[in-house]
């Protein structure tokens, strides 16, 4: 843990394999500790975590709030519809209001790419100590989702030792609306960093060819890639060609709210071409887990029968795994910020 150097967590592009290992290892420790009822961990006692979600959320927001409470933080949530945003207050001024009330961690979701980064930069310029954790921004990034998906896959492939190496050489198929998916982008960084070979599958309107080059260059804004040897990325247009040999399949929500033009000829056609079902999965040649970040368009990305089959569908397991992953992130950020690892030793032993 002593190598942790991320002050804000804005995306996964700058994460090394050691960073992934640190988060996964800490999440494993947190999940095995009794933290319900009065038995909270004291790590963030006296600290205020504010969840500033300018876009709707069920999973991410609740999961961060639960994670913060299990670490004994005070939690302040924010509702855009009943806030002074409606009177014209800016996002930055809203965030600074929470910092003025003592918030040390801001978990931020916004429909526009770059808002969490802009907030982090503005807070730095103002000399504020508060750190920003991206809860999902536009099409760009959803780092905690990428990490909980990694945790879910690592636990599936190597339950005794669910670390990044569990992904080495695995073929993971991502299906559907890659273009509009911040989850897909975060997973591309995380999965390839851990040595997985990613196959992207979808129609050209939702999956431009350029995605095959997504991790070919150093991450944006960096001269070198922190990961020396990434897994590969390739594009397949037809599910029948993408699925054979897969070790896991992740299907992504059709993000109708982000589509600026008519990109699909119809949901029935989409389901016929890219929808997952028990029958379709048999093309993999072995039993494979199916992931979806939620919320699911039931009967579109996958059949209702598959969604309701916990022996295959990992949707609820992903939600469960989100809490220890977010505890790990909040803890690492707070520990790095206070430069104190003594607290970690005392809470985790
Ligand atoms: N996966 C995800 O981000 O879900 P929410 O939009 O419900 O937070």
């Amino acid at each position: 843990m002593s190598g942790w150097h991320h002050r804000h967590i804005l995306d996964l592009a700058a994460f090394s394999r050691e960073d992934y290992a640190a988060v996964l290892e800490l999440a494993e420790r947190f999940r095995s500790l009794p933290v319900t009822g009065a038995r909270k961990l004291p790590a963030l006692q006296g600290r205020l975590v504010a969840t500033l979600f300018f876009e709707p959320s069920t999973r991410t927001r609740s999961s961060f709030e639960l994670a913060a409470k299990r670490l004994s933080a005070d939690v302040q949530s924010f509702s855009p519809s009943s806030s002074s945003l409606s009177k014209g207050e800016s996002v930055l001024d809203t965030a600074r209001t929470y910092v003025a009330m003592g918030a040390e961690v801001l978990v931020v979701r916004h429909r526009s790419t770059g808002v969490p980064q802009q907030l982090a930069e503005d807070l730095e310029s103002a000399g504020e100590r508060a750190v920003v954790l991206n809860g999902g921004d536009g099409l760009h990034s959803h780092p905690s989702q990428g990490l909980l998906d990694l945790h879910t896959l690592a636990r599936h492939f190597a339950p005794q030792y669910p670390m990044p190496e569990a992904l080495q050489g695995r073929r993971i198929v991502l299906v559907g609306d890659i273009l509009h998916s911040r989850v897909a982008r975060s997973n591309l960084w995380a999965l390839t960093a851990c040595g997985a070979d990613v196959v992207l599958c979808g129609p050209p309107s939702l999956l431009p060819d350029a995605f095959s080059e997504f991790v070919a260059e150093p991450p944006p804004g960096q001269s070198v890639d922190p990961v020396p040897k990434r897994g590969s990325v390739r594009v397949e247009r037809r599910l029948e060609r993408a699925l054979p040999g897969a070790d896991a399949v992740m299907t992504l929500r059709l993000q109708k709210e982000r589509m600026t033009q008519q990109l699909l000829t119809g949901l029935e056609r989409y389901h016929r071409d890219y929808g997952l079902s028990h029958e379709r999965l048999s093309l993999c040649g072995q039993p494979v887990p199916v992931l979806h970040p939620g919320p699911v368009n039931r009967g579109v990305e996958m059949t209702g029968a598959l969604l309701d089959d916990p022996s295959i569908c990992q949707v609820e397991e992903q939600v469960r795994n989100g809490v220890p992953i977010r505890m790990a992130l909040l803890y690492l950020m707070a520990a790095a910020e206070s430069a104190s690892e003594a607290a970690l030793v005392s809470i985790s032993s």
Side-chain angles (χ1 to χ4, degrees):
M1 241 73 69
S2 57
W4 189 259
H5 59 92
H6 301 280
R7 205 172 114 64
H8 309 280
I9 297 180
L10 302 171
D11 60 40
L12 297 180
F15 268 44
S16 65
R17 203 181 272 207
E18 292 71 30
D19 293 328
Y20 291 107
V23 176
L24 265 51
E25 199 261 338
L26 198 48
E28 273 301 307
R29 285 155 75 179
F30 281 137
R31 70 182 306 129
S32 64
L33 292 171
V35 288
T36 53
R39 293 176 298 184
K40 305 276 189 291
L41 299 172
L44 301 191
Q45 207 152 43
R47 292 181 164 195
L48 178 58
V49 174
T51 51
L52 308 183
F53 279 58
F54 299 90
E55 189 187 61
S57 166
T58 297
R59 281 146 280 267
T60 311
R61 176 177 175 157
S62 305
S63 181
F64 266 118
E65 292 180 356
L66 193 53
K69 287 175 188 168
R70 288 184 174 176
L71 294 173
S72 302
D74 295 326
V75 178
Q76 184 69 56
S77 62
F78 155 83
S79 169
S81 59
S82 58
S83 77
S84 290
L85 275 182
S86 58
K87 301 177 198 163
E89 189 164 36
S90 71
V91 170
L92 174 61
D93 289 337
T94 300
R96 289 185 70 165
T97 299
Y98 282 89
V99 172
M101 286 191 271
E104 294 180 55
V105 180
L106 304 178
V107 184
V108 178
R109 170 173 287 190
H110 200 283
R111 66 192 295 274
S112 299
T113 290
V115 167
Q117 174 153 357
Q118 185 68 53
L119 277 181
E121 289 170 4
D122 288 341
L123 291 171
E124 294 282 347
S125 306
E128 299 286 1
R129 285 171 52 229
V131 295
V132 176
L133 215 161
N134 184 358
D137 64 324
L139 311 185
H140 170 232
S141 183
H142 193 345
S144 64
Q145 181 72 44
L147 288 164
L148 76 87
D149 291 340
L150 187 64
H151 188 45
T152 303
L153 288 167
R155 285 180 61 76
H156 177 86
F157 293 133
Q160 303 304 321
Y161 190 67
M163 289 291 115
E165 44 269 48
L167 274 292
Q168 183 68 45
R170 303 282 182 180
R171 186 183 297 180
I172 314 295
V173 180
L174 268 58
V175 183
D177 187 0
I178 313 290
L179 177 64
H180 299 99
S181 177
R182 55 197 178 206
V183 175
R185 288 169 175 82
S186 288
N187 268 283
L188 277 167
W189 290 117
L191 294 172
T192 58
C194 299
D197 295 315
V198 178
V199 180
L200 301 173
C201 184
S205 57
L206 300 179
L207 170 57
D209 284 331
F211 270 93
S212 61
E213 303 294 315
F214 190 78
V215 293
E217 303 291 333
Q222 296 184 67
S223 55
V224 290
D225 192 336
V227 177
K229 191 172 184 326
R230 289 188 182 271
S232 63
V233 179
R234 75 179 163 88
V235 169
E236 281 288 356
R237 295 291 170 205
R238 294 185 55 224
L239 210 43
E240 289 69 22
R241 289 176 57 89
L243 292 181
D247 293 300
V249 183
M250 181 184 301
T251 180
L252 298 158
R253 185 171 70 87
L254 275 186
Q255 305 212 6
K256 289 173 268 183
E257 75 277 20
R258 295 191 210 283
M259 294 182 187
T260 52
Q261 48 191 305
Q262 196 62 34
L263 296 173
L264 288 170
T265 50
L267 295 182
E268 276 178 29
R269 168 82 189 271
Y270 177 84
H271 182 68
R272 195 187 73 206
D273 291 347
Y274 295 102
L276 298 181
S277 63
H278 286 90
E279 186 188 5
R280 269 243 161 96
L281 285 178
S282 65
L283 292 170
C284 297
Q286 59 176 336
V288 299
V290 169
L291 287 77
H292 188 303
V296 181
N297 294 305
R298 185 178 277 266
V300 178
E301 293 100 31
M302 68 177 95
T303 60
L306 186 56
L307 180 59
D308 294 334
D309 182 350
S311 72
I312 299 174
C313 182
Q314 302 293 303
V315 169
E316 290 181 9
E317 185 64 10
Q318 288 168 271
V319 172
R320 275 189 287 277
N321 290 338
V323 178
I325 281 289
R326 289 172 174 124
M327 289 173 76
L329 290 177
L330 289 169
Y331 180 74
L332 284 165
M333 293 176 79
E337 201 272 329
S338 65
S340 163
E341 295 222 352
L344 173 62
V345 175
S346 66
I347 58 156
S348 58
S349 55

